[in-house]
Amino acid sequence: MLTSKNKVLTCIAIIFLILLMLPLVLVVVTSFNTANSISLPIQGFTLNWYKNILSQPDFIDGFIASLEVAIIASLLALVVGVLAVYGLTRSNIHHTSAFQSFFLSPTLIPEIVIGFALYQSVIVGLHLPVFIGLIIGHFLLCLPYVIRLVTAGMLMLDRHIEEAAWISGCSAKKTFFLVVLPNIKASIIAAFMMCFINSFNNIPISLFMNGPELTLLPQAIMNYLQNNYDPTVSAISVVLMVFTGVLMILVEKFIGVNELTGGK
Amino acid sequence: MAELEVKQLSKSFDGKAKVLKDISFTIKDGEFVSILGSSGCGKTTTLRIIAGLLDQTSGQVIIDGQDISKVPVHKRNFGMVFQSYALFPHLTVFQNVAFGLKMRKLATNEINERVKEILNLTGLGELAQRYPAELSGGQQQRVSLARALVTKPRLLLMDEPLSNLDAKLRVKMREEIRRLQKQLKLTVVFVTHDQQECFAISDRVLIMNAGKIEQFDTPENIFHHPKSKFVANFIGYENFINIGEKVDERTFKTNDLILKTNEELRQAEVTTIRPENVQIVDEPDRENTLRGEIISSEYLGQSFSYLVRTVIGNIYVEEARHAPRSENDQIVLELPVKHLHVLYR
Amino acid sequence: MRANNGKYLLLPALISVALFTFYPIIQIALPTIKDFSTFKDLYGSFFTSTYNVRVLGRTFLIAVITTFIVLLIGLPVSLWIARQKKNLRQVLSILILFPMLTNAVVRNFAWIIILGRDGIVNKLLMAIGIISKPASILYTNTSIVIGSVYLFLPIMITSLIGSISELNIEVEEAAAVLGSNPFSTLIRVILPQLTTGLLTGAILVFAGTMTAYTTPQILGGNKHLVMSTLIYQQAMTLGNWNSASAIALILILVSALSMILMKKGVKLLDRRPDNAN
């Protein structure tokens, strides 16, 4: 039998697990290099590149803009998505799976195309501000995560619990807030986290919707990388990794990281 | 508590065939009624319509003379115990029980008082601060019951509440439910597929089959006088003897065998007798006796069960004895006149 | 609930997806098919240009190779992780999740450090003496594949761990009792039960690689365009918006078609009891 004790399997797995982590470790190492270009092995230790992040307004503004877009888009997706999932799982609607597919359909469209199309219709066509375009695009990125994770959570919830609340004299609307929401809390937090992280990290959707006045952080890093090859990129990368790490610790503390992948 | 009347209730889902076909019955104030039937017979549908969780296609649900068919579920003031218990996982035992009182906007001290009272009555006093996940199945069952009772509902509905418990606990809980019902003078509708359970607990039993009522009577009457072949079969009658040719009002002839019963034959075609009522006797020439040969035997603990081949077909016999009879034994069976029941449907 | 109010809850989602996904795409599609000559001009010229066809072919090939490699690595790694004790399994799952949740720019940037002219691979190869001057690994198809594999491996592993932990271990024990060695159990017993999980993962990776922008942009350079970078180039660098729209639509079509075909494959191969018909 193939168990964790199998030697061949163990070797393969450990090699690739190391390969998975190694590139990120290298990024961390290069961020402390005293040399002016990104290279290994490092020649000395410095924290200057981290200081340099602060003198890049694109990074600071990008971070704030990314944060705003990610939070607003995630919250919007959460409200719209949770309502839709509740409607789908708890009423006698036919063709549930067709609706489900429709809500997940943004995942079928390449992200860059979503960004491209939104740019043309929302910004060029309707003359709306870039920020609105970004929110819409990232909302579309987020919605499928909400639909998937919250549907999984709703399916785990015993339907009779709501019925018990109704019988106890609780109206349908109140039951949703008093009984349903508290019991799918974990899925909702997980969905929010996945939305937030993916929106924060996304590039293709925002590709067409940026300019001198508004550039999201990942795009700002890419722009910097195209013109400079110094360890500032490593430093900001490390900052982002720490950011991801902190989010994961928070998730683990409140709901368990496994919830993020809808796992058990 | 209150009297429940169900009038010509019908239900079909999405315009498909009816799962309930014009059923009507009345449950008296303070009465414990079980709805018994196999899965898919419409018993749970009936209960859910009474509760207001399902809309009927036609018919009425009447409580104390008031038609509540259009009253939404949360305004009916009923209590319900679910098969899965359906406790609120995010609330403690105390909060679970207090939920319905909070919905009724009672004062905090009255809520506390009434919750404490019902928790003590159901033996849950110590567990008030626990969460459902920290309770055993039996404890969850009690919480579910306490939650249903605390609002002083007009009607208590129970949907297979005992089926998730092990056999011993099931018996204990059903005794407790019966005790509470009598003490609090509750009107109860109890849905189950367990014949023994509902006979032990109920004032009357309503047996359903394919969306219709087969028989609605006291357990004793159903046990001794099943009205239809379905009911007889469902409550453990295994021997069915065709009425071949009527000799007089209470005598018939089948395969040259003359059999008598205490009941009028009328238009009936079948009679039945329980295996434990068939006697194995010595003298072959008495009334209602016939010869047979044992085909197989089975040990039941208190008794032995035999399958006996006779001229009128195979007959199951149960006999309390220390040692089994052997296969191929030739024996004489008596079908006592008073135990041979006529099935009119 | 008794009332059928549920359908109103769907409205916001229905409207927003229709308005923000389908309407804009129709809007970019219409000008490209407004009359036959425009249609012929845009789509015809795409397929008659060897350059563009080569980009499409490269995109497809990179996606296929990446998917294959990710499957090949993902299976043993996820099998090993899924068969660990619960605590270690959780730690390892988090370890896999970390790169998955880290910004793609960061992850691709890491490979510049490794594969660049001064990167550690070149330094290593020169130190051993295999090559005398730095080889160009970065800005090739190979570097795009490597970056894509790195990007999608965590997703595949995570998804496979889920499928593997659903397997009934007694089935493998039965195979072992019947005399099957670990390798033949893997091939004859585990793999057939995992076809759905493997194909679902493969669809994710394939579609993701096919439409990815960040990796080919950072690791592909200007000479190795794929469909997404071509769209960007046509629109932003050349200002050729209609042509970009046409390429976008071709990309949607090709990736959707591949996904539908693979999903058909999943349904066809799924032999688990609850799906038998």
Side-chain angles (χ1 to χ4, degrees), chain A residues 133-155:
Chain A
L134 285 173
I135 296 287
I136 294 175
H138 284 236
F139 164 83
L140 290 173
L141 176 77
C142 294
L143 190 63
Y145 286 105
V146 178
I147 300 284
R148 279 206 203 99
L149 288 168
V150 178
T151 301
M154 274 306 286
L155 292 179

PDB file of all heavy atoms in Angstrom, chain A residues 133-155:
ATOM      1  N   GLY A 133     -14.589  51.135 -12.217  1.00  0.00           N
ATOM      2  CA  GLY A 133     -14.264  50.008 -13.091  1.00  0.00           C
ATOM      3  C   GLY A 133     -13.510  48.921 -12.342  1.00  0.00           C
ATOM      4  O   GLY A 133     -13.797  47.721 -12.487  1.00  0.00           O
ATOM      5  N   LEU A 134     -12.554  49.338 -11.529  1.00  0.00           N
ATOM      6  CA  LEU A 134     -11.771  48.372 -10.751  1.00  0.00           C
ATOM      7  C   LEU A 134     -12.655  47.604  -9.781  1.00  0.00           C
ATOM      8  O   LEU A 134     -12.551  46.384  -9.633  1.00  0.00           O
ATOM      9  CB  LEU A 134     -10.659  49.100  -9.978  1.00  0.00           C
ATOM     10  CG  LEU A 134      -9.463  49.552 -10.818  1.00  0.00           C
ATOM     11  CD1 LEU A 134      -8.517  50.397  -9.975  1.00  0.00           C
ATOM     12  CD2 LEU A 134      -8.726  48.346 -11.381  1.00  0.00           C
ATOM     13  N   ILE A 135     -13.553  48.350  -9.091  1.00  0.00           N
ATOM     14  CA  ILE A 135     -14.442  47.698  -8.126  1.00  0.00           C
ATOM     15  C   ILE A 135     -15.290  46.638  -8.840  1.00  0.00           C
ATOM     16  O   ILE A 135     -15.406  45.501  -8.382  1.00  0.00           O
ATOM     17  CB  ILE A 135     -15.386  48.739  -7.461  1.00  0.00           C
ATOM     18  CG1 ILE A 135     -14.598  49.746  -6.650  1.00  0.00           C
ATOM     19  CG2 ILE A 135     -16.432  48.034  -6.603  1.00  0.00           C
ATOM     20  CD1 ILE A 135     -14.037  49.227  -5.371  1.00  0.00           C
ATOM     21  N   ILE A 136     -15.848  47.012 -10.005  1.00  0.00           N
ATOM     22  CA  ILE A 136     -16.697  46.066 -10.738  1.00  0.00           C
ATOM     23  C   ILE A 136     -15.891  44.832 -11.149  1.00  0.00           C
ATOM     24  O   ILE A 136     -16.309  43.694 -10.949  1.00  0.00           O
ATOM     25  CB  ILE A 136     -17.315  46.741 -11.982  1.00  0.00           C
ATOM     26  CG1 ILE A 136     -18.278  47.850 -11.542  1.00  0.00           C
ATOM     27  CG2 ILE A 136     -18.041  45.726 -12.843  1.00  0.00           C
ATOM     28  CD1 ILE A 136     -18.838  48.661 -12.690  1.00  0.00           C
ATOM     29  N   GLY A 137     -14.714  45.072 -11.712  1.00  0.00           N
ATOM     30  CA  GLY A 137     -13.889  43.955 -12.162  1.00  0.00           C
ATOM     31  C   GLY A 137     -13.524  43.022 -11.015  1.00  0.00           C
ATOM     32  O   GLY A 137     -13.626  41.797 -11.134  1.00  0.00           O
ATOM     33  N   HIS A 138     -13.115  43.598  -9.905  1.00  0.00           N
ATOM     34  CA  HIS A 138     -12.715  42.766  -8.769  1.00  0.00           C
ATOM     35  C   HIS A 138     -13.917  42.103  -8.107  1.00  0.00           C
ATOM     36  O   HIS A 138     -13.809  41.014  -7.563  1.00  0.00           O
ATOM     37  CB  HIS A 138     -11.905  43.605  -7.770  1.00  0.00           C
ATOM     38  CG  HIS A 138     -10.511  43.856  -8.235  1.00  0.00           C
ATOM     39  ND1 HIS A 138      -9.397  43.527  -7.503  1.00  0.00           N
ATOM     40  CD2 HIS A 138     -10.046  44.374  -9.397  1.00  0.00           C
ATOM     41  CE1 HIS A 138      -8.303  43.848  -8.183  1.00  0.00           C
ATOM     42  NE2 HIS A 138      -8.682  44.372  -9.339  1.00  0.00           N
ATOM     43  N   PHE A 139     -15.071  42.760  -8.179  1.00  0.00           N
ATOM     44  CA  PHE A 139     -16.315  42.143  -7.708  1.00  0.00           C
ATOM     45  C   PHE A 139     -16.577  40.854  -8.486  1.00  0.00           C
ATOM     46  O   PHE A 139     -16.917  39.811  -7.912  1.00  0.00           O
ATOM     47  CB  PHE A 139     -17.473  43.132  -7.884  1.00  0.00           C
ATOM     48  CG  PHE A 139     -18.833  42.519  -7.805  1.00  0.00           C
ATOM     49  CD1 PHE A 139     -19.429  42.278  -6.585  1.00  0.00           C
ATOM     50  CD2 PHE A 139     -19.532  42.174  -8.965  1.00  0.00           C
ATOM     51  CE1 PHE A 139     -20.687  41.704  -6.506  1.00  0.00           C
ATOM     52  CE2 PHE A 139     -20.789  41.601  -8.894  1.00  0.00           C
ATOM     53  CZ  PHE A 139     -21.363  41.366  -7.664  1.00  0.00           C
ATOM     54  N   LEU A 140     -16.383  40.908  -9.824  1.00  0.00           N
ATOM     55  CA  LEU A 140     -16.604  39.720 -10.652  1.00  0.00           C
ATOM     56  C   LEU A 140     -15.598  38.625 -10.312  1.00  0.00           C
ATOM     57  O   LEU A 140     -15.899  37.440 -10.381  1.00  0.00           O
ATOM     58  CB  LEU A 140     -16.493  40.069 -12.127  1.00  0.00           C
ATOM     59  CG  LEU A 140     -17.630  40.926 -12.678  1.00  0.00           C
ATOM     60  CD1 LEU A 140     -17.322  41.337 -14.100  1.00  0.00           C
ATOM     61  CD2 LEU A 140     -18.945  40.177 -12.597  1.00  0.00           C
ATOM     62  N   LEU A 141     -14.390  39.036  -9.945  1.00  0.00           N
ATOM     63  CA  LEU A 141     -13.375  38.069  -9.539  1.00  0.00           C
ATOM     64  C   LEU A 141     -13.791  37.372  -8.240  1.00  0.00           C
ATOM     65  O   LEU A 141     -13.594  36.175  -8.060  1.00  0.00           O
ATOM     66  CB  LEU A 141     -12.043  38.805  -9.336  1.00  0.00           C
ATOM     67  CG  LEU A 141     -10.855  38.005  -8.826  1.00  0.00           C
ATOM     68  CD1 LEU A 141     -10.290  37.177  -9.970  1.00  0.00           C
ATOM     69  CD2 LEU A 141      -9.770  38.923  -8.283  1.00  0.00           C
ATOM     70  N   CYS A 142     -14.412  38.144  -7.347  1.00  0.00           N
ATOM     71  CA  CYS A 142     -14.728  37.652  -6.006  1.00  0.00           C
ATOM     72  C   CYS A 142     -15.997  36.781  -5.960  1.00  0.00           C
ATOM     73  O   CYS A 142     -16.054  35.803  -5.222  1.00  0.00           O
ATOM     74  CB  CYS A 142     -14.916  38.821  -5.046  1.00  0.00           C
ATOM     75  SG  CYS A 142     -13.413  39.756  -4.777  1.00  0.00           S
ATOM     76  N   LEU A 143     -17.001  37.200  -6.730  1.00  0.00           N
ATOM     77  CA  LEU A 143     -18.310  36.544  -6.618  1.00  0.00           C
ATOM     78  C   LEU A 143     -18.247  35.002  -6.659  1.00  0.00           C
ATOM     79  O   LEU A 143     -18.854  34.344  -5.811  1.00  0.00           O
ATOM     80  CB  LEU A 143     -19.255  37.093  -7.697  1.00  0.00           C
ATOM     81  CG  LEU A 143     -20.719  36.670  -7.552  1.00  0.00           C
ATOM     82  CD1 LEU A 143     -21.317  37.210  -6.265  1.00  0.00           C
ATOM     83  CD2 LEU A 143     -21.542  37.121  -8.753  1.00  0.00           C
ATOM     84  N   PRO A 144     -17.512  34.408  -7.617  1.00  0.00           N
ATOM     85  CA  PRO A 144     -17.459  32.944  -7.654  1.00  0.00           C
ATOM     86  C   PRO A 144     -16.917  32.313  -6.362  1.00  0.00           C
ATOM     87  O   PRO A 144     -17.399  31.251  -5.956  1.00  0.00           O
ATOM     88  CB  PRO A 144     -16.534  32.653  -8.833  1.00  0.00           C
ATOM     89  CG  PRO A 144     -16.692  33.833  -9.717  1.00  0.00           C
ATOM     90  CD  PRO A 144     -16.841  34.997  -8.779  1.00  0.00           C
ATOM     91  N   TYR A 145     -15.948  32.977  -5.724  1.00  0.00           N
ATOM     92  CA  TYR A 145     -15.439  32.428  -4.449  1.00  0.00           C
ATOM     93  C   TYR A 145     -16.559  32.387  -3.416  1.00  0.00           C
ATOM     94  O   TYR A 145     -16.717  31.421  -2.683  1.00  0.00           O
ATOM     95  CB  TYR A 145     -14.279  33.278  -3.915  1.00  0.00           C
ATOM     96  CG  TYR A 145     -12.995  33.102  -4.676  1.00  0.00           C
ATOM     97  CD1 TYR A 145     -12.554  34.066  -5.559  1.00  0.00           C
ATOM     98  CD2 TYR A 145     -12.226  31.962  -4.496  1.00  0.00           C
ATOM     99  CE1 TYR A 145     -11.383  33.913  -6.278  1.00  0.00           C
ATOM    100  CE2 TYR A 145     -11.052  31.789  -5.203  1.00  0.00           C
ATOM    101  CZ  TYR A 145     -10.635  32.762  -6.086  1.00  0.00           C
ATOM    102  OH  TYR A 145      -9.479  32.586  -6.779  1.00  0.00           O
ATOM    103  N   VAL A 146     -17.332  33.476  -3.356  1.00  0.00           N
ATOM    104  CA  VAL A 146     -18.435  33.532  -2.388  1.00  0.00           C
ATOM    105  C   VAL A 146     -19.446  32.435  -2.704  1.00  0.00           C
ATOM    106  O   VAL A 146     -19.868  31.680  -1.818  1.00  0.00           O
ATOM    107  CB  VAL A 146     -19.126  34.912  -2.425  1.00  0.00           C
ATOM    108  CG1 VAL A 146     -20.293  34.946  -1.451  1.00  0.00           C
ATOM    109  CG2 VAL A 146     -18.135  36.008  -2.109  1.00  0.00           C
ATOM    110  N   ILE A 147     -19.818  32.337  -3.983  1.00  0.00           N
ATOM    111  CA  ILE A 147     -20.823  31.342  -4.375  1.00  0.00           C
ATOM    112  C   ILE A 147     -20.355  29.940  -3.975  1.00  0.00           C
ATOM    113  O   ILE A 147     -21.086  29.187  -3.333  1.00  0.00           O
ATOM    114  CB  ILE A 147     -21.075  31.396  -5.899  1.00  0.00           C
ATOM    115  CG1 ILE A 147     -21.568  32.772  -6.319  1.00  0.00           C
ATOM    116  CG2 ILE A 147     -22.035  30.297  -6.335  1.00  0.00           C
ATOM    117  CD1 ILE A 147     -22.997  33.080  -6.010  1.00  0.00           C
ATOM    118  N   ARG A 148     -19.110  29.603  -4.301  1.00  0.00           N
ATOM    119  CA  ARG A 148     -18.619  28.251  -4.015  1.00  0.00           C
ATOM    120  C   ARG A 148     -18.545  27.976  -2.515  1.00  0.00           C
ATOM    121  O   ARG A 148     -19.097  27.001  -2.024  1.00  0.00           O
ATOM    122  CB  ARG A 148     -17.224  28.054  -4.600  1.00  0.00           C
ATOM    123  CG  ARG A 148     -17.250  27.727  -6.063  1.00  0.00           C
ATOM    124  CD  ARG A 148     -16.005  26.938  -6.447  1.00  0.00           C
ATOM    125  NE  ARG A 148     -15.778  27.098  -7.873  1.00  0.00           N
ATOM    126  CZ  ARG A 148     -14.898  27.952  -8.388  1.00  0.00           C
ATOM    127  NH1 ARG A 148     -14.124  28.661  -7.596  1.00  0.00           N
ATOM    128  NH2 ARG A 148     -14.759  28.067  -9.672  1.00  0.00           N
ATOM    129  N   LEU A 149     -17.842  28.846  -1.792  1.00  0.00           N
ATOM    130  CA  LEU A 149     -17.590  28.562  -0.375  1.00  0.00           C
ATOM    131  C   LEU A 149     -18.867  28.645   0.454  1.00  0.00           C
ATOM    132  O   LEU A 149     -19.094  27.815   1.338  1.00  0.00           O
ATOM    133  CB  LEU A 149     -16.531  29.529   0.174  1.00  0.00           C
ATOM    134  CG  LEU A 149     -15.114  29.236  -0.336  1.00  0.00           C
ATOM    135  CD1 LEU A 149     -14.178  30.381   0.003  1.00  0.00           C
ATOM    136  CD2 LEU A 149     -14.593  27.944   0.262  1.00  0.00           C
ATOM    137  N   VAL A 150     -19.711  29.635   0.183  1.00  0.00           N
ATOM    138  CA  VAL A 150     -20.919  29.770   0.995  1.00  0.00           C
ATOM    139  C   VAL A 150     -21.938  28.675   0.641  1.00  0.00           C
ATOM    140  O   VAL A 150     -22.644  28.185   1.521  1.00  0.00           O
ATOM    141  CB  VAL A 150     -21.528  31.185   0.852  1.00  0.00           C
ATOM    142  CG1 VAL A 150     -22.803  31.312   1.644  1.00  0.00           C
ATOM    143  CG2 VAL A 150     -20.523  32.229   1.327  1.00  0.00           C
ATOM    144  N   THR A 151     -21.978  28.265  -0.628  1.00  0.00           N
ATOM    145  CA  THR A 151     -22.852  27.139  -0.972  1.00  0.00           C
ATOM    146  C   THR A 151     -22.433  25.902  -0.175  1.00  0.00           C
ATOM    147  O   THR A 151     -23.282  25.211   0.399  1.00  0.00           O
ATOM    148  CB  THR A 151     -22.793  26.825  -2.480  1.00  0.00           C
ATOM    149  OG1 THR A 151     -23.185  27.976  -3.199  1.00  0.00           O
ATOM    150  CG2 THR A 151     -23.735  25.676  -2.839  1.00  0.00           C
ATOM    151  N   ALA A 152     -21.130  25.640  -0.142  1.00  0.00           N
ATOM    152  CA  ALA A 152     -20.645  24.490   0.630  1.00  0.00           C
ATOM    153  C   ALA A 152     -21.083  24.617   2.084  1.00  0.00           C
ATOM    154  O   ALA A 152     -21.534  23.644   2.698  1.00  0.00           O
ATOM    155  CB  ALA A 152     -19.126  24.396   0.532  1.00  0.00           C
ATOM    156  N   GLY A 153     -20.971  25.814   2.647  1.00  0.00           N
ATOM    157  CA  GLY A 153     -21.376  26.029   4.033  1.00  0.00           C
ATOM    158  C   GLY A 153     -22.861  25.826   4.234  1.00  0.00           C
ATOM    159  O   GLY A 153     -23.292  25.196   5.207  1.00  0.00           O
ATOM    160  N   MET A 154     -23.663  26.336   3.304  1.00  0.00           N
ATOM    161  CA  MET A 154     -25.122  26.202   3.424  1.00  0.00           C
ATOM    162  C   MET A 154     -25.550  24.740   3.344  1.00  0.00           C
ATOM    163  O   MET A 154     -26.470  24.312   4.027  1.00  0.00           O
ATOM    164  CB  MET A 154     -25.822  26.983   2.293  1.00  0.00           C
ATOM    165  CG  MET A 154     -26.057  28.444   2.576  1.00  0.00           C
ATOM    166  SD  MET A 154     -26.934  28.783   4.088  1.00  0.00           S
ATOM    167  CE  MET A 154     -28.579  28.295   3.637  1.00  0.00           C
ATOM    168  N   LEU A 155     -24.868  23.983   2.481  1.00  0.00           N
ATOM    169  CA  LEU A 155     -25.259  22.585   2.327  1.00  0.00           C
ATOM    170  C   LEU A 155     -24.965  21.782   3.589  1.00  0.00           C
ATOM    171  O   LEU A 155     -25.594  20.759   3.846  1.00  0.00           O
ATOM    172  CB  LEU A 155     -24.544  21.958   1.124  1.00  0.00           C
ATOM    173  CG  LEU A 155     -24.981  22.521  -0.230  1.00  0.00           C
ATOM    174  CD1 LEU A 155     -24.214  21.858  -1.365  1.00  0.00           C
ATOM    175  CD2 LEU A 155     -26.479  22.347  -0.449  1.00  0.00           C
TER     176      LEU A 155
END
